[in-house]
Amino acid sequence: MIAFQHEYEKRAKSKMHAVIFWLFLGPFGAHRFYLGEKAAGILLLFTGLCFYIVLPISLFVFAVNTFDPVNPGIDPNVLLILFLLIIFIGLIWWVIEGFLISGKVDRLNEKLEMDIMRRIVPSKVNANTSKAYQRSPLR
C-alpha cells in the first residue's frame, strides 16, 4: 500500500495547479499541457498566440481608420464588432474550461489510480479471481 501511495502522490495532478495554470495561462493552453492533453494544448496555444498577435494589429487598424476621415478603408464599427465578438467567444471558452477543469483532474487521477493498482498487484488480483472462479458453485 505504501508503494501505491508513493507512486500516486508522485504522479497525481493537483486541482490547485491546474486552476492556477488555467487562470493565468489559460488562453495559451497551459492547463491542458499540465493535464497531459497535448493536442488540445497545442490548439489553445496556437489560437491564443494568434489572438494576441491579431489583437494589436486590429487595434492599430481600428485607430488608423477612425482618425482618417479622407480614406476610411474598413468600417471601424465592423472591426469593433468583430473584435468584441472574438473576445466574447474567447471569454466564454475560457470560463467553460474553468468549470470543466475539476472533473478533468478527477478523471485523470482516477485513471492513474487504476493504472497503478494494475501494475502493483496484477498477479495477486488475477490469482485470487481465478481461485474464486474455480470454487464457485454456479459454474
Side-chain angles (χ1 to χ4, degrees), residues 87-102:
I87 288 179
F88 180 73
I89 290 170
L91 184 63
I92 294 294
W93 186 0
W94 183 73
V95 169
I96 290 172
E97 287 276 326
F99 281 112
L100 298 177
I101 203 161
S102 176

Side-chain angles (χ1 to χ4, degrees), residues 130-139:
S130 62
K131 286 178 185 177
Y133 177 72
Q134 290 171 355
R135 284 184 271 146
S136 174
L138 300 176
R139 281 194 324 162

Side-chain angles (χ1 to χ4, degrees), residues 5-6 27 30-31 47 55 60 68 76 85 90 106:
Q5 187 174 3
H6 176 69
H31 60 291
T47 57
L55 174 67
F60 176 75
D68 187 9
L85 181 66
D106 287 340

Side-chain angles (χ1 to χ4, degrees), residues 13 17-19 21-22 25-45 93 96-98 100-101 104 107-108:
K13 301 299 182 185
H17 290 136
V19 168
F21 283 134
W22 163 78
L25 298 170
F28 302 110
H31 60 291
R32 293 291 189 110
F33 284 114
Y34 174 70
L35 296 176
E37 300 174 349
K38 292 177 184 170
I42 290 171
L43 178 66
L44 281 172
L45 178 64
W93 186 0
I96 290 172
E97 287 276 326
L100 298 177
I101 203 161
K104 287 181 184 191
R107 283 189 299 279
L108 186 65

